Amino acid sequence: MTQYYARTDVSYSGGDKLFSITFPYIKREHINVYVNDELTTNYTYITSSQISISDELEAGDVISIVRTTPIDERMVVFSDTSILNKDAQNLDSTQLFDAVQEIYDNNISFKNDATTQINSIETKADTALSNSQSAVSTANSAETKADNAVSTANTASSNAST
């Protein structure tokens, strides 16, 4: 199974609906939860690293917990009068670090999806080739039978003439 930095996928097996957030995040608003790839907001935080989903779940449903750090604006903006303290610097670098991890995860997902699609196309192409080879073999067999029938007819015609 693929190892992500900012994503956890869990197949629901029944029982309680508690799920762990296995990666760090800056704000709760950066966490998105999906049930079978459908975004849900029907969950509550039990702790900072555990949520409870209130959706109806069935065994086999895939729960995805995904961090999505906003990249449209900086969380820390320095100015000439800024005091450089460790908290501001850590928050600034954490936002960038989280975003890079998420880009990496999305790239892995894209590659996995593309590989799955390529494998599916290859399987279909192999099936089409096999079916084509079978059709050629059937056509060759039919041609041989037709040739034998013509030969038999010619022989019968020759025998009837004598």
Side-chain angles (χ1 to χ4, degrees), residues 27-71:
K27 294 181 177 183
R28 287 183 173 183
E29 295 81 31
H30 300 175
I31 300 298
N32 291 311
V33 178
Y34 300 85
V35 177
N36 297 324
D37 293 325
E38 293 290 325
L39 183 64
T40 183
T41 56
N42 298 325
Y43 64 92
T44 54
Y45 283 84
I46 304 302
T47 67
S48 62
S49 62
Q50 191 173 53
I51 60 169
S52 174
I53 296 179
S54 51
D55 287 343
E56 288 299 319
L57 300 176
E58 295 180 15
D61 284 349
V62 176
I63 310 306
S64 300
I65 303 169
V66 181
R67 183 184 68 214
T68 307
T69 305
I71 58 172

Side-chain angles (χ1 to χ4, degrees), residues 60-126:
D61 284 349
V62 176
I63 310 306
S64 300
I65 303 169
V66 181
R67 183 184 68 214
T68 307
T69 305
I71 58 172
D72 56 339
E73 66 181 54
R74 296 174 61 119
M75 296 178 77
V76 176
V77 177
F78 295 103
S79 64
D80 286 339
T81 61
S82 293
I83 298 174
L84 289 176
N85 64 40
K86 68 179 175 121
D87 293 337
Q89 291 179 67
N90 286 336
L91 179 58
D92 186 56
S93 65
T94 298
Q95 181 183 12
L96 177 60
F97 186 69
D98 286 358
V100 168
Q101 287 181 329
E102 292 157 18
I103 290 168
Y104 177 84
D105 286 355
N106 289 335
N107 191 35
I108 287 175
S109 292
F110 176 77
K111 285 181 179 180
N112 288 343
D113 290 346
T115 300
T116 299
Q117 290 175 4
I118 288 168
N119 289 341
S120 175
I121 291 168
E122 287 176 345
T123 299
K124 289 176 183 175
D126 289 345

Side-chain angles (χ1 to χ4, degrees), residues 16-33:
D16 66 28
K17 299 179 195 175
L18 298 177
F19 300 92
S20 295
I21 301 172
T22 59
F23 45 82
Y25 58 93
I26 299 170
K27 294 181 177 183
R28 287 183 173 183
E29 295 81 31
H30 300 175
I31 300 298
N32 291 311
V33 178

